[in-house]
Amino acid sequence: MALSEARRASLLAYCKLTELADDPEVAALIPTLYEAAVGYLAGAGVGVPESDTPRAAQYDLCVNYLVLDGWERREASVAGTTVTDNPAFRQTLNQLKMTEPGVSL
C-alpha cells in the first residue's frame, strides 16, 4: 500500500513532525515505518478496510500509533521505565480483528 501525500501529511501531523517534513531522516523513515505498520496489521489478520468507513478510521489510528511508536523507539535500546502496550491501541486492534470481514471467531 503506497503512502499517498495526504496520508503522509496526516502521519507527520500525528507524530508532530510537520515542521521536520523536509528533514532527510523523516523523509526516509516515515514511508518505511508506514509500510511496516501496514505489514504488521496484515500479519495480525487485519486487512485494509474500505475507505470512508468507521473501520478505516480505526485502521488509520492503529497505523498512526505504530508509526509513532516506531519513530520514538528507533534507537537500538529503550532506556527508562517499563515499556508496555498502549491499551487504546490494543483495544482498537482487537476490535479490528474481531470485525474483519469474512472472519468468524
Side-chain angles (χ1 to χ4, degrees):
M1 181 176 196
L3 179 60
S4 71
E5 196 53 42
R7 188 67 177 103
R8 181 179 179 274
S10 173
L11 280 170
L12 292 173
Y14 184 86
C15 296
K16 300 191 184 295
L17 295 171
T18 303
E19 293 178 5
L20 299 174
D22 295 330
D23 180 276
E25 184 179 18
V26 172
L29 288 179
I30 291 300
T32 301
L33 293 170
Y34 173 79
E35 290 295 328
V38 169
Y40 176 88
L41 291 176
V46 177
V48 179
E50 291 185 37
S51 59
D52 299 323
T53 64
R55 287 192 87 247
Q58 291 173 325
Y59 182 88
D60 287 349
L61 285 174
C62 281
V63 168
N64 290 354
Y65 171 79
L66 290 167
V67 169
L68 178 59
D69 187 62
W71 176 260
E72 289 182 342
R73 293 196 228 187
R74 64 191 183 281
E75 300 300 324
S77 63
V78 177
T81 61
T82 304
V83 178
T84 61
D85 267 350
N86 177 325
F89 165 75
R90 181 57 50 197
Q91 292 165 355
T92 304
L93 177 58
N94 289 344
Q95 181 65 26
L96 282 168
K97 289 169 77 171
M98 291 187 316
T99 60
E100 183 68 23
V103 174
S104 58
L105 299 175

